[in-house]
Amino acid sequence: MNKTFLVFKNELLTTIKRRSFILTLILIPLGGFILTWIIGGFGRNTQSQQISELLVPSSPPEQEVYGLIDKNNLIDSIPQDYEDVVLPYDSEAEALSALKEDKITAYYIIEENYIEDGKITLVRPDFNPLGGNNASYMIEDILTRALLSDDPDLANRIQFPMDLEYRILAPETSRDPNSSLTFFLPYVVTMLFYMVILGSSSLMLNSITNEKSNRIIEILMTSIQPRQMLMGKIIALGLVGLLQTIVWTSSGYFLLLLSGRSINLGEGFMLPPSILIWGILFFLAGYALYGSLMAGLGALVPNLREASQATIFVVIPMVIPLVLLSPIIENPNGALAIIFSLVPFTAPITMMTRLSAGSVPIWQSLLSLVLIFTTTYFVIRSVAGFFKATNLLSGSAFNLKRFVRAFIGKN
Amino acid sequence: MSTISVKSITKNFGTQCAVDHVSFDVYPGEIFGLLGPNGAGKTTSIRIVLDIFEPDSGEVTVFDGPMTEAKKNRIGYLPEERGLYQDIPLEYCLQYLASLKGMDKEVSHKRIDAYLERFDLNQARKKKVKELSKGMQQKAQLISTLVHEPELIIIDEPFTALDPVNTQMVKDILKEQRSKGKTIVMCTHQMHQVEQLCDRLVLINQGKSVLYGSLNEIRKNFTGNVVEVRTHETLPENIPGVTAIRHTNQNGDYMLTVEEGITPQKLLKTLINLDIQLEQFEIASPTLDEIFIKIVTKRDEGNE
């Protein structure tokens, strides 16, 4: 009689009925809803900048005024849009006096040989190499307009030489590439994916170590084959993880819709629909791989305390894509991103980062899935080999050497 | 046909030999004692019988053949390391364990109800296992061992940490199961408990079988030339056929060491002829503890 279904049913029911699981499942999206509601309440008609204003209330900005001395008489008058912030002075003495009286922040001097050498001097009372050059773009603009006063169109073109418009041939990109949120989104997806894969595979580790610490494992060994027990647990906890992923993702999606209305995040935060399907596939692949590894770990550790310490060995490959997140996001089709999205242990997270950062050739996603599932097959086979009473009933302390030996079938 | 047949099993853990060529048979309807001090290799032997461990050598047959998954459903096992799922209600825990033994849901419901009633755990059925007292948890473990009405019951150290009331309860249940024709293997180091229950036994020491047979036979073999006598009279200093007289207490109990060749019947006749009023006359039989000490001491002397 195959008892896999009995184990599956028990694992599924006991896990989803657990108070801590229900709380985690509900509280995380609920927290998001509350936050969105608060933000939405603060500014229904405002832009996303108000999120940061909500978090860090800003005081009204102080208007900085700059002086300008034109020794070449190039500038007839200060353009209207800079009249309040750039004041012309006839002499340096007048400008200096205004500076001392705090009427201006600093002043620029267009030197006599400006046309030949382009020399301009900035005089300011303090040393501020990072923020002290704030008005230079205004002086540049004023000079460009003055120099090309005969041809305003040319002046305008020099100032804005490229009005870039994206035309993306990939069928599903509905995001605005100019939006800063496009950059932010892969980080969110990656972190979410890391959390759900780690969370679900940790459920596996907890389940086995709990049975060990509850000392029920010996009774189970006389009632069910270890392999059936392993399979029942992997499938049930995979479904639990999938449920968690779907609830969180749907809540997140709903939250974005809500946010779109309330804080107007725009298209930058939109994901193509296919990413949800890829997400489910890569979650299942990632969970199956890491869940099996955690099951192997669970078989070899004597208790939950040692299990937590030993988890680090399994989690390291999952953390690598997080460490390399910036280069992967900046170049989602670069060599680094492609390699890590094909190496099975780093692939689930890296591929999701790539998919959320840009378009990925479909063959790479499929190859990645095939490689992960193939590796998972061998990992499960290996774990099933040492998921037996000798290890499950052993009280020996965990060590990496034993773990590796068990995986290569020398235990 | 034996229910369990163990033939020369050996199991090593690293360099340590836990079981060394142990053999025994367990027959249907008997309580069989697997005895020995702590660390003797009893639990390892049981785990080999149950197919939890594979022996390095030797052979085990259960129900006339090798262990199968179907046969495991016909066995009830209470391990020495007692355990139950702690975070789920008692009733659900028992139902899940019964389902793993292949029990039908409806039947298991009825049996669990009956056992909970009998063991006075009815009020605790919805409570989480971790909320139950240690005694209650032990009763629950016994229910999970018996609920599927196994033909073979294997209990490892059944009396450990039990109070006298629960000890008696376990004894009564084991006797009751025997009367139903169930085969019981009791694995323990508490030899005095075995004397009251077991029909046959094997005694293991340091992984080796040192004694095997029926309790009566073993006692008979180890019975010496000592007779216990109780009388309110003072015994004469010299009794024909007796080499030594020891007054064991103030209640008139004596231990008489009989000369070789003198039977207890002859001694009884002699005491009657001496007109001694006897309240008790009994051939002194050694306890299992005494037999065990005798065997181990002899072996140690032999090894020296």
Side-chain angles (χ1 to χ4, degrees), chain A residues 102-122:
Chain A
D102 279 341
K103 287 180 181 166
I104 55 174
T105 309
Y107 60 87
Y108 290 84
I109 308 163
I110 301 172
E111 300 291 355
E112 280 158 6
N113 293 327
Y114 169 73
I115 297 293
E116 287 80 32
D117 59 16
K119 193 177 175 191
I120 291 177
T121 308
L122 168 63

Short mmCIF file of all heavy atoms in Angstrom, two decimals, chain A residues 102-122:
data_model
loop_
_atom_site.label_atom_id
_atom_site.label_comp_id
_atom_site.label_asym_id
_atom_site.label_seq_id
_atom_site.Cartn_x
_atom_site.Cartn_y
_atom_site.Cartn_z
N ASP A 102 24.90 87.88 2.75
CA ASP A 102 24.07 86.67 2.60
C ASP A 102 22.90 86.87 1.64
O ASP A 102 21.88 86.17 1.73
CB ASP A 102 23.51 86.18 3.96
CG ASP A 102 24.54 85.38 4.71
OD1 ASP A 102 25.51 84.91 4.05
OD2 ASP A 102 24.39 85.22 5.93
N LYS A 103 23.04 87.79 0.74
CA LYS A 103 21.98 87.99 -0.25
C LYS A 103 22.08 86.92 -1.33
O LYS A 103 21.09 86.57 -1.98
CB LYS A 103 22.09 89.39 -0.88
CG LYS A 103 21.65 90.50 0.05
CD LYS A 103 21.78 91.84 -0.66
CE LYS A 103 21.35 92.95 0.30
NZ LYS A 103 21.77 94.27 -0.22
N ILE A 104 23.31 86.49 -1.59
CA ILE A 104 23.51 85.41 -2.57
C ILE A 104 24.33 84.28 -1.94
O ILE A 104 25.05 84.51 -0.94
CB ILE A 104 24.21 85.93 -3.85
CG1 ILE A 104 25.54 86.63 -3.49
CG2 ILE A 104 23.29 86.83 -4.65
CD1 ILE A 104 26.37 87.04 -4.70
N THR A 105 24.24 83.08 -2.52
CA THR A 105 24.97 81.91 -1.99
C THR A 105 26.40 81.92 -2.53
O THR A 105 27.34 81.56 -1.82
CB THR A 105 24.28 80.61 -2.45
OG1 THR A 105 22.90 80.72 -2.13
CG2 THR A 105 24.86 79.39 -1.80
N ALA A 106 26.55 82.29 -3.81
CA ALA A 106 27.86 82.31 -4.46
C ALA A 106 27.73 83.17 -5.71
O ALA A 106 26.62 83.60 -6.05
CB ALA A 106 28.28 80.90 -4.83
N TYR A 107 28.84 83.43 -6.36
CA TYR A 107 28.71 84.15 -7.64
C TYR A 107 29.70 83.60 -8.67
O TYR A 107 30.77 83.10 -8.33
CB TYR A 107 28.85 85.67 -7.48
CG TYR A 107 30.17 86.17 -6.91
CD1 TYR A 107 31.27 86.42 -7.75
CD2 TYR A 107 30.29 86.42 -5.54
CE1 TYR A 107 32.45 86.89 -7.21
CE2 TYR A 107 31.47 86.89 -5.01
CZ TYR A 107 32.55 87.12 -5.85
OH TYR A 107 33.73 87.58 -5.31
N TYR A 108 29.27 83.69 -9.93
CA TYR A 108 30.07 83.22 -11.05
C TYR A 108 30.65 84.44 -11.78
O TYR A 108 29.96 85.46 -11.93
CB TYR A 108 29.21 82.43 -12.04
CG TYR A 108 28.76 81.09 -11.50
CD1 TYR A 108 27.63 80.99 -10.70
CD2 TYR A 108 29.46 79.92 -11.82
CE1 TYR A 108 27.21 79.77 -10.22
CE2 TYR A 108 29.04 78.69 -11.35
CZ TYR A 108 27.92 78.60 -10.55
OH TYR A 108 27.51 77.40 -10.06
N ILE A 109 31.90 84.30 -12.24
CA ILE A 109 32.51 85.39 -13.03
C ILE A 109 32.85 84.81 -14.41
O ILE A 109 33.60 83.84 -14.51
CB ILE A 109 33.81 85.92 -12.38
CG1 ILE A 109 33.58 86.30 -10.91
CG2 ILE A 109 34.41 87.09 -13.19
CD1 ILE A 109 34.85 86.44 -10.11
N ILE A 110 32.23 85.42 -15.41
CA ILE A 110 32.60 85.03 -16.78
C ILE A 110 33.82 85.87 -17.13
O ILE A 110 33.75 87.10 -17.26
CB ILE A 110 31.44 85.29 -17.76
CG1 ILE A 110 30.20 84.48 -17.32
CG2 ILE A 110 31.83 84.93 -19.20
CD1 ILE A 110 28.94 84.80 -18.08
N GLU A 111 34.97 85.20 -17.22
CA GLU A 111 36.24 85.92 -17.35
C GLU A 111 36.38 86.56 -18.74
O GLU A 111 35.67 86.19 -19.69
CB GLU A 111 37.41 84.96 -17.08
CG GLU A 111 37.40 84.32 -15.70
CD GLU A 111 37.67 85.28 -14.56
OE1 GLU A 111 37.97 86.46 -14.82
OE2 GLU A 111 37.57 84.86 -13.38
N GLU A 112 37.36 87.47 -18.81
CA GLU A 112 37.50 88.28 -20.03
C GLU A 112 37.78 87.44 -21.27
O GLU A 112 37.30 87.71 -22.36
CB GLU A 112 38.59 89.32 -19.83
CG GLU A 112 38.07 90.51 -19.04
CD GLU A 112 39.18 91.30 -18.36
OE1 GLU A 112 40.36 90.98 -18.59
OE2 GLU A 112 38.86 92.19 -17.57
N ASN A 113 38.61 86.39 -21.11
CA ASN A 113 38.97 85.57 -22.28
C ASN A 113 38.07 84.36 -22.43
O ASN A 113 38.50 83.31 -22.93
CB ASN A 113 40.43 85.11 -22.18
CG ASN A 113 41.38 86.29 -22.28
OD1 ASN A 113 41.08 87.25 -23.00
ND2 ASN A 113 42.48 86.22 -21.56
N TYR A 114 36.84 84.51 -21.98
CA TYR A 114 35.92 83.35 -21.97
C TYR A 114 35.77 82.72 -23.35
O TYR A 114 35.82 81.49 -23.51
CB TYR A 114 34.54 83.77 -21.43
CG TYR A 114 33.50 82.69 -21.65
CD1 TYR A 114 33.50 81.53 -20.88
CD2 TYR A 114 32.54 82.82 -22.66
CE1 TYR A 114 32.58 80.53 -21.09
CE2 TYR A 114 31.60 81.83 -22.88
CZ TYR A 114 31.62 80.68 -22.09
OH TYR A 114 30.71 79.67 -22.30
N ILE A 115 35.61 83.53 -24.37
CA ILE A 115 35.39 82.99 -25.72
C ILE A 115 36.57 82.11 -26.14
O ILE A 115 36.39 81.05 -26.73
CB ILE A 115 35.18 84.15 -26.74
CG1 ILE A 115 33.92 84.96 -26.38
CG2 ILE A 115 35.09 83.63 -28.18
CD1 ILE A 115 32.60 84.20 -26.53
N GLU A 116 37.80 82.51 -25.75
CA GLU A 116 38.99 81.73 -26.13
C GLU A 116 39.18 80.49 -25.26
O GLU A 116 39.42 79.40 -25.75
CB GLU A 116 40.28 82.60 -26.03
CG GLU A 116 40.44 83.64 -27.12
CD GLU A 116 39.61 84.90 -26.84
OE1 GLU A 116 39.43 85.23 -25.66
OE2 GLU A 116 39.08 85.51 -27.80
N ASP A 117 39.12 80.73 -23.94
CA ASP A 117 39.46 79.58 -23.07
C ASP A 117 38.28 79.04 -22.26
O ASP A 117 38.42 78.05 -21.53
CB ASP A 117 40.62 79.94 -22.13
CG ASP A 117 40.30 81.15 -21.25
OD1 ASP A 117 39.10 81.49 -21.15
OD2 ASP A 117 41.23 81.74 -20.69
N GLY A 118 37.12 79.66 -22.34
CA GLY A 118 35.93 79.14 -21.64
C GLY A 118 36.00 79.26 -20.12
O GLY A 118 35.26 78.59 -19.40
N LYS A 119 36.89 80.11 -19.63
CA LYS A 119 37.12 80.16 -18.19
C LYS A 119 36.02 80.92 -17.45
O LYS A 119 35.69 82.06 -17.80
CB LYS A 119 38.48 80.79 -17.91
CG LYS A 119 38.92 80.59 -16.47
CD LYS A 119 40.29 81.14 -16.21
CE LYS A 119 40.62 81.02 -14.73
NZ LYS A 119 41.82 81.77 -14.40
N ILE A 120 35.49 80.26 -16.43
CA ILE A 120 34.49 80.87 -15.55
C ILE A 120 34.92 80.57 -14.11
O ILE A 120 35.34 79.45 -13.81
CB ILE A 120 33.08 80.31 -15.82
CG1 ILE A 120 32.59 80.78 -17.19
CG2 ILE A 120 32.09 80.69 -14.72
CD1 ILE A 120 31.25 80.26 -17.62
N THR A 121 34.82 81.56 -13.26
CA THR A 121 35.23 81.37 -11.86
C THR A 121 33.99 81.36 -10.97
O THR A 121 33.09 82.19 -11.14
CB THR A 121 36.18 82.51 -11.42
OG1 THR A 121 37.22 82.60 -12.38
CG2 THR A 121 36.75 82.26 -10.03
N LEU A 122 33.99 80.41 -10.05
CA LEU A 122 32.91 80.34 -9.05
C LEU A 122 33.48 80.77 -7.71
O LEU A 122 34.48 80.21 -7.25
CB LEU A 122 32.35 78.92 -8.98
CG LEU A 122 31.41 78.61 -7.80
CD1 LEU A 122 30.14 79.45 -7.86
CD2 LEU A 122 31.04 77.13 -7.79
#
